[in-house]
Amino acid sequence: MAVFPPKPLKQMELAELENLCASIRARILEIVSQNGGHLSSTLGAVELIVAMHYVFDYTKSPFIFDVSHQAYAHKLLTGRYDEFASLRKFGGVSGFCKPSESSADYFVAGHSSTSISLGVGAAKAMALRNEREMPIVLIGDGSMSAGLVYEALNELGDRKYPMLIILNDNEMSIAKPIGAISKHLSQIISHPMYQSFRNFTKKWLEKMPDSATYLAKRFEESLKLITPGILFEEMGIDYIGPVDGHNLSDLIFCFKRAQDLGRPVIVHTQTIKGKGYEIAEGPYEKWHGVGAFDLQTGQALKKPSPKPTPTQVYASTLAHLASIDEKVVGITAAMPGGTGLGELIDTYPNRFWDVGIAEQHSVTSMAAMAKEGFIPFVSIYSTFLQRAFDQIIHDVGIMGVPVRFSIDRAGIVGEDGETHQGLFDIAYLRMIPGFVLFAPRDNATLKLAIEFAYKFSSAPCAYRYPRNAFCLEEDSYEAREFVLGELEILRQGEQIALIGYGNGVGRADQVYHALCALGFSPSLIDLRFCKPLPEGLESILRTHKIAFVFSDSYIDGGVGGAILEYASAHDVLMPLYSLELESTFVPHGDTKSIESSLHLSPEALVARVLAKLECHKITP
């Protein structure tokens, strides 16, 4: 078992710490190139984390990472060097901080902008216990675009709890929100008092020799340089920076200074994404999260599928609609590449927007656009859309405005684990009055779902699709247009009804073929609509002896529950079983291993169905 680091950090000289950083980067590159994972941001944060561990004791001053995909170095420094080889594998080391994995990880963190709030809570507890230590928060510049950060900063600046906030500014796509903040701060520079002072200084410099014009220019630049800190200083939080985030000596000095101040301090550091791996250095979104790749060339080891992904189908279909109708608009929250909106934002910058990590704002702003007669598409991952739950109810649902929600990464997403699985959207949207929920079963019907949403203008609607590919083989069944309140009978049979919703149709299809091979003749139904449930559902329930429901969502609040409620309301008595996910947070790992552990593999689903058929004495 490797001993890492070779000796306590506090006993190391500067040169040894720098060598340690190189060793950490080498280990990260070795494992991520094999397993995939978050790369460029975590490479850029190595010196920050080493300096944190050098100055502070995480057992007394909790290290709180925002999102925590940049915390790989922290994992390596806290006893997980060997285990790191299992990064993101089923049963292995998580790609995010996870207290159940190590006591060195303070909090689960997979969504952004929670760190400062957690820090305030920890600081309150420490104050009540009269402890001298303080929380250490590492937050990326992108996370600063979310309102939760400013709610926490507002209280922190008022209460003055000791805390160190390390702002990792790596000039990612997050430069846009930072730019917006800079524009706001520039208003301070236009204040008459500031202008008067600047004009006085300029006139004074004009009387100096020509060589002094250089000084004037530097003076102007230096005043602009301090503007990032003005916001924090005005909120009552000390600001230090900008600091070179790869200079260990400077970082250690600033962290010690912050430690001595005994009040809230922000140290603004500037780092390079991908630092130490030249191919990935810079603000390249494709190196943020990667699959396995060749270290020498940077080329992906897994060849892309010749078939388009659901995200690509969504992007191309929406691009077509945007080209024929100027009222089509769209928004995403810091995921232009992941949701497929990147090219649309480039093509139509006045109609498609990336607002940064601001899901709440994205939803509410599109509610207003819908009221103004536009056709808005909100493109957000299932796991991130839940952050805007109140806005979906208050600003979209109650108003009844026709906002179209395109829910990417629905269902099991794999290696990112508990914080990223897209398993809640059906439950939290199904309860909202007036919402229309539907789902395609494959790429062809996804295109039709988007077109239906485009034309549907009487209520808000949402449709979901998976991360990589649908379970159902392309062109297995004829693709028909979506009609509100209509299901589709793909195979007419008897006794057994296999009801699929969205990607669940593919799972139902697998069970269908297995049952046919055993002599059964089940019906296969694509439910299509989860809310409102189709009118034809009652007939299916009354003409079959047993029904099974398949959907990539939780049983709690899921499709099976909706059908049971429907059956009860229509006085239909029959055994109906949901083969959706049990109520448990789904861990990280490859999708096949996860499905096997949850008894969702094709073999497991067939076995579960056969057991129920035997129980009810249903034979071929």
Side-chain angles (χ1 to χ4, degrees):
M1 184 174 181
V3 177
F4 192 87
K7 67 179 183 180
L9 267 66
K10 295 183 186 298
Q11 297 177 14
M12 291 186 181
E13 300 293 335
L14 184 60
E16 292 177 295
L17 292 172
E18 291 172 345
N19 289 334
L20 178 67
C21 291
S23 298
I24 290 172
R25 283 197 171 89
R27 181 64 170 169
I28 291 172
L29 284 165
E30 174 194 4
I31 301 306
V32 175
S33 67
Q34 297 171 13
N35 298 5
H38 290 93
L39 185 68
S40 56
S41 55
T42 202
L43 288 177
V46 171
E47 283 84 5
L48 298 179
I49 293 171
V50 168
M52 287 165 59
H53 277 272
Y54 181 85
V55 176
F56 302 98
D57 180 350
Y58 69 85
T59 65
K60 298 178 180 178
S61 297
F63 289 5
I64 304 174
F65 294 91
D66 209 278
V67 184
S68 79
H69 59 248
Q70 80 279 42
Y72 290 1
H74 171 71
K75 289 177 179 282
L76 292 172
L77 290 170
T78 51
R80 286 169 277 183
Y81 187 90
D82 289 332
E83 291 83 355
F84 195 66
S86 65
L87 179 71
R88 289 162 50 93
K89 290 184 177 180
F90 185 70
V93 170
S94 170
F96 299 95
C97 286
K98 192 172 181 178
S100 61
E101 176 183 294
S102 170
S103 60
D105 294 353
Y106 182 73
F107 227 85
V108 170
H111 289 183
S112 84
S113 313
T114 62
S115 60
I116 300 178
S117 288
L118 290 171
V120 170
K124 288 176 178 177
M126 297 168 92
L128 289 172
R129 292 194 297 260
N130 295 315
E131 295 173 356
R132 297 177 58 85
E133 288 76 15
M134 62 182 180
I136 314 301
V137 169
L138 176 59
I139 183 169
D141 54 355
S143 296
M144 299 296 288
S145 60
L148 180 60
V149 165
Y150 299 95
E151 293 175 27
L153 287 173
N154 184 54
E155 183 183 14
L156 180 62
D158 178 54
R159 298 288 185 173
K160 307 293 186 189
Y161 295 114
M163 185 191 305
L164 169 60
I165 301 170
I166 304 164
L167 172 57
N168 180 13
D169 176 0
N170 56 29
E171 299 181 355
M172 176 51 179
S173 57
I174 328 274
K176 288 186 178 179
I178 289 295
I181 292 172
S182 295
K183 288 178 183 178
H184 170 71
L185 290 173
S186 69
Q187 294 174 9
I188 297 171
I189 297 178
S190 64
H191 191 280
M193 183 180 294
Y194 173 87
Q195 288 295 324
S196 176
F197 173 70
R198 188 180 69 166
N199 291 336
F200 167 80
T201 308
K202 278 188 173 182
K203 289 179 181 179
W204 177 73
L205 288 171
E206 285 172 0
K207 298 177 181 178
M208 302 296 288
D210 292 342
S211 59
T213 56
Y214 170 78
L215 178 61
K217 181 180 179 181
R218 296 299 296 172
F219 171 77
E220 184 79 4
E221 290 176 350
S222 68
L223 286 172
K224 290 180 180 178
L225 183 63
I226 68 169
T227 58
I230 289 177
L231 174 64
F232 306 117
E233 294 281 358
E234 288 297 314
M235 296 182 81
I237 301 169
D238 287 1
Y239 172 88
I240 300 173
V243 179
D244 182 351
H246 301 298
N247 187 313
L248 278 170
S249 178
D250 288 353
L251 290 173
I252 291 169
F253 173 82
C254 289
F255 291 176
K256 286 183 175 180
R257 181 182 173 193
Q259 185 181 39
D260 294 337
L261 287 174
R263 53 181 183 263
V265 181
I266 285 183
V267 175
H268 178 184
T269 67
Q270 294 179 318
T271 61
I272 298 171
K273 288 178 72 74
K275 177 70 173 178
Y277 185 53
E278 188 174 353
I279 299 173
E281 286 187 357
Y284 303 116
E285 187 178 355
K286 69 177 183 179
W287 284 104
H288 176 72
V290 299
F293 64 96
D294 182 273
L295 263 177
Q296 300 301 316
T297 64
Q299 296 297 312
L301 295 180
K302 183 180 179 181
K303 293 183 179 179
S305 171
K307 298 178 182 178
T309 65
T311 301
Q312 291 169 335
V313 172
Y314 170 68
S316 62
T317 306
L318 190 59
H320 169 69
L321 295 174
S323 70
I324 62 174
D325 191 339
E326 292 184 352
K327 287 192 174 182
V328 172
V329 296
I331 202 164
T332 188
M335 290 291 179
T339 59
L341 251 62
E343 291 187 12
L344 279 161
I345 292 171
D346 292 338
T347 306
Y348 306 105
N350 295 323
R351 290 163 54 194
F352 288 83
W353 304 274
D354 173 15
V355 295
I357 302 173
E359 292 87 359
Q360 295 169 294
H361 164 59
S362 67
V363 169
T364 298
S365 66
M366 289 301 99
M369 293 212 73
K371 179 177 173 61
E372 292 290 339
F374 286 85
I375 305 172
F377 285 79
V378 176
S379 308
I380 298 180
Y381 294 1
S382 172
T383 184
F384 297 138
L385 184 61
Q386 66 202 35
R387 292 161 60 96
F389 181 56
D390 181 60
Q391 285 65 41
I392 296 171
I393 294 176
H394 185 273
D395 302 324
V396 176
I398 293 175
M399 287 293 295
V401 287
V403 177
R404 290 85 173 163
F405 291 91
S406 306
I407 305 176
D408 203 331
R409 269 59 167 184
I412 297 172
V413 301
E415 289 82 0
D416 283 337
E418 294 94 331
T419 58
H420 282 59
Q421 311 289 5
L423 300 170
F424 292 99
D425 57 273
I426 290 176
Y428 68 71
L429 292 176
R430 190 168 73 82
M431 70 173 73
I432 305 174
F435 252 77
V436 171
L437 306 183
F438 56 106
R441 62 176 179 257
D442 56 18
N443 281 348
T445 53
L446 171 56
K447 184 175 182 293
L448 295 173
I450 299 164
E451 292 172 351
F452 173 82
Y454 163 70
K455 297 173 184 176
F456 188 71
S457 59
S458 57
C461 66
Y463 53 98
R464 69 195 316 255
Y465 43 96
R467 177 183 184 181
N468 292 319
F470 287 94
C471 294
L472 195 65
E473 287 292 328
E474 197 72 26
D475 303 324
S476 296
Y477 303 95
E478 179 185 355
R480 298 179 181 176
E481 290 186 358
F482 280 77
V483 177
L484 181 64
E486 287 190 8
L487 51 73
E488 189 173 356
I489 300 175
L490 302 177
R491 301 285 188 187
Q492 182 65 63
E494 57 185 15
Q495 297 195 90
I496 306 165
L498 305 176
I499 304 172
Y501 180 71
N503 203 30
V505 176
R507 301 189 189 282
D509 180 72
Q510 293 167 345
V511 174
Y512 169 84
H513 288 289
L515 293 181
C516 287
L518 295 172
F520 292 94
S521 179
S523 293
L524 177 63
I525 294 98
D526 181 354
L527 189 64
R528 297 204 129 191
F529 289 87
C530 175
K531 184 186 177 89
L533 286 168
E535 295 177 359
L537 182 60
E538 182 180 358
S539 174
I540 288 170
L541 297 180
R542 291 191 184 280
T543 56
H544 291 78
K545 292 183 178 180
I546 191 169
F548 298 90
V549 180
F550 303 79
S551 172
D552 284 354
S553 59
Y554 283 124
I555 289 178
D556 297 342
V559 180
I563 296 176
L564 281 172
E565 292 165 9
Y566 177 92
S568 176
H570 289 77
D571 298 317
V572 177
L573 298 176
M574 70 172 302
L576 186 148
Y577 297 96
S578 170
L579 297 180
E580 296 165 287
L581 282 77
E582 296 292 339
S583 182
T584 181
F585 286 107
V586 179
H588 63 275
D590 65 280
T591 301
K592 188 174 182 180
S593 296
I594 292 173
E595 289 179 345
S596 178
S597 72
L598 298 173
H599 309 293
L600 293 175
S601 65
E603 298 79 13
L605 290 173
V606 171
R608 292 168 67 185
V609 169
L610 288 174
K612 295 300 181 183
L613 294 179
E614 183 179 357
C615 177
H616 291 279
K617 296 180 171 51
I618 297 176
T619 58

